[in-house]
Structures are given as structure tokens and as C-alpha cells.
Amino acid sequence: MKTCLIVDDSRVVRKVAGRIIQDLKFDVREAGDGAEALTACREDMPDAILLDWSMPVMNGLDFLRALRRERGGDKPTVVFCSTENDAEYIGEAMRSGANEFIMKPFDADIIESKFAEAGLL
């Protein structure tokens, strides 16, 4: 079974996204910030990462750049998730290694669609 790491400082967002992604037949793990997520990836690299942008300790963009430098860090499909809809933000995320980008708030259809577009389903 594929694994997905959900990285968001909101416990509620992690739980809601986790239920949606479990329904897509993924094992789900959670991290509350980028530093925690980087540690989790070093222990066991996931197949997919649903990544929030704005978090304490290490934000999503800094995490993504660090992830892509790690051994095996080029493998996870990263779906960036943010309330920012500015083209500059989206472009920065994609240039930094994101595979897809979704806006908050999201629902099951949006996540399923983006995971399908990214080749995860």
C-alpha cells in the first residue's frame, strides 16, 4: 500500500485530509511542521506528501527544498496546499519541486483529482 505524509500545523486539517486520503487506499502519517516532516521522511520516505505552506518551525517551502536534497527525496509526489492563490506563490512552489498545487479549503473530489493528475491513483 502507498503511504502519504500529511504536513500541516492544523490538527483538524490533518485529520480531515487523512480520512480523505485513507479512502484513496493510502496509509497515512502526519507531521505538524516541516522539521517534523523532514525527520519522518528520513526515517521512511513516503510515496506522497500533502504539504501546507504556512507553518511554524519550518514552513512548507523550506521543507520542500530540504526534502529534494535528501537521498530519495526526489521520489515523493508533493501536492502543495495553501490559501495563497497568487501565481507567484504557485510558481515558487512548482520551481521548488512541488508536483501539484491545491487551494484550501479542499474537499475529497479535489484531492482525488490532484492525486490522479499526479499519477498517484
Side-chain angles (χ1 to χ4, degrees):
M1 184 176 281
K2 290 184 179 181
T3 59
C4 181
L5 178 63
I6 300 170
V7 186
D8 198 297
D9 58 326
S10 167
R11 186 175 168 274
V12 172
V13 170
R14 291 194 312 266
K15 294 302 176 197
V16 170
R19 281 190 213 104
I20 293 168
I21 293 169
Q22 283 175 332
D23 287 346
L24 297 174
K25 309 295 185 229
F26 281 79
D27 279 333
V28 171
R29 297 183 308 167
E30 299 179 13
D33 61 59
E36 190 179 316
L38 197 56
T39 298
C41 289
R42 287 175 176 152
E43 291 171 4
D44 187 19
M45 198 64 75
D47 298 295
I49 299 172
L50 182 65
L51 179 61
D52 184 31
W53 188 299
S54 189
M55 296 177 290
V57 183
M58 177 187 277
N59 69 37
L61 199 57
D62 290 341
F63 162 77
L64 181 57
R65 290 174 177 151
L67 171 72
R68 294 305 192 206
R69 290 190 300 266
E70 291 288 319
R71 169 176 275 147
D74 58 330
K75 300 288 190 249
T77 299
V78 176
V79 178
F80 227 118
C81 183
S82 179
T83 57
E84 296 290 340
N85 65 355
D86 186 287
E88 186 175 319
Y89 282 99
I90 296 168
E92 183 75 13
M94 301 306 275
R95 284 189 300 277
S96 296
N99 301 92
E100 288 291 340
F101 191 95
I102 62 175
M103 294 294 305
K104 284 182 180 177
F106 51 76
D107 61 19
D109 291 337
I110 291 170
I111 290 180
E112 184 174 4
S113 172
K114 287 298 181 176
F115 273 43
E117 287 175 29
L120 289 164
L121 302 179

